[in-house]
Amino acid sequence: MVLGEDRIKHLEFIQQVVTRLGTNSFLVKGWALTLTAALLAVSASRLSWPIATVGLVPLLCFWYLDTFFLRQERLFRRLYDDVRRPGSAVEPMSMNVGPYLAQTPWLPTALSQTLVLYYGPLVAADLVILGVAL
């Protein structure tokens, strides 16, 4: 079945949002790594537990922000899947992801393999330095 022009344009809008969310997630990861590396280097060189403790705060904030972007991306992918189906009940040009919120919970997103494998070692390194500094 061939999709109409309006449906194709709708899919393009959704794809642009997904792309932008992926870019934002990439930037957050870069900032998280840069800031964490700097704080770990300072706290390790001085064996300062306050600096190591302070380093956890932005790291957890970046993890939360990355979780937000990943969850939004998953929500828009669900919308995309519904829009691309023939006979879809999704309103034309709608960007409402509300119907998919229950299917995409926060905690499993935060604990997804990609986020845990990225932020987990950073948190672990910070906790090791914190333990050594105490």
Side-chain angles (χ1 to χ4, degrees), residues 22-102:
T23 300
N24 290 344
S25 179
F26 178 77
L27 292 172
V28 165
K29 283 181 176 71
W31 277 102
L33 184 61
T34 302
L35 184 60
T36 301
L39 289 170
L40 287 176
V42 171
S43 62
S45 68
R46 297 183 184 179
L47 282 180
S48 171
W49 67 267
I51 296 174
T53 304
V54 167
L56 281 173
V57 174
L59 184 54
L60 294 176
C61 289
F62 282 126
W63 194 337
Y64 169 79
L65 193 56
D66 210 356
T67 299
F68 172 79
F69 289 135
L70 181 58
R71 182 172 186 248
Q72 289 298 116
E73 184 178 330
R74 288 177 177 182
L75 290 169
F76 277 98
R77 286 182 187 279
R78 287 182 187 275
L79 176 62
Y80 186 97
D81 280 344
D82 276 355
V83 170
R84 72 176 177 79
R85 288 191 177 96
S88 172
V90 176
E91 183 180 333
M93 299 300 173
S94 172
M95 300 296 269
N96 180 20
V97 294
Y100 314 105
L101 292 173

